Amino acid sequence: MPSSTASVERLFSLMNNLCTTDRNRLSQDTLTALMMLCREGCQQLSDDQTSKIVEIFKKMKERDIAL
């Protein structure tokens, strides 16, 4: 059992930074993928994990946004 909750608190903080009121429609898969990318970085992910994340983003529909 961990003696500290700091790592869990960091994950919740990361999740709250990613899932804001402006981005409140992220699916669970998309949020998980974004959290993995932010936490681990591209270099730390295995090829299998990277492939899964790429497939999640490929399945997303295109959106028209005004910049």
Side-chain angles (χ1 to χ4, degrees):
M1 190 159 138
S3 59
S4 171
T5 60
S7 61
V8 174
E9 289 174 12
R10 279 192 292 273
L11 286 176
F12 275 109
S13 178
L14 174 61
M15 182 180 64
N16 287 333
N17 288 338
L18 292 172
C19 190
T20 64
T21 54
D22 292 333
R23 290 184 279 184
N24 62 358
R25 293 185 180 199
L26 294 173
S27 71
Q28 182 64 46
D29 289 338
T30 303
L31 184 59
T32 301
L34 286 171
M35 288 179 68
M36 286 178 65
L37 284 173
C38 290
R39 185 170 177 251
E40 303 295 331
C42 293
Q43 296 80 14
Q44 301 298 323
L45 296 174
S46 69
D47 289 340
D48 186 46
Q49 289 172 315
T50 304
S51 296
K52 286 179 183 177
I53 291 171
V54 169
E55 288 303 314
I56 288 169
F57 286 102
K58 278 185 182 177
K59 290 178 185 176
M60 294 174 71
K61 66 179 182 177
E62 283 190 41
R63 301 189 188 275
D64 294 329
I65 57 172
L67 298 176

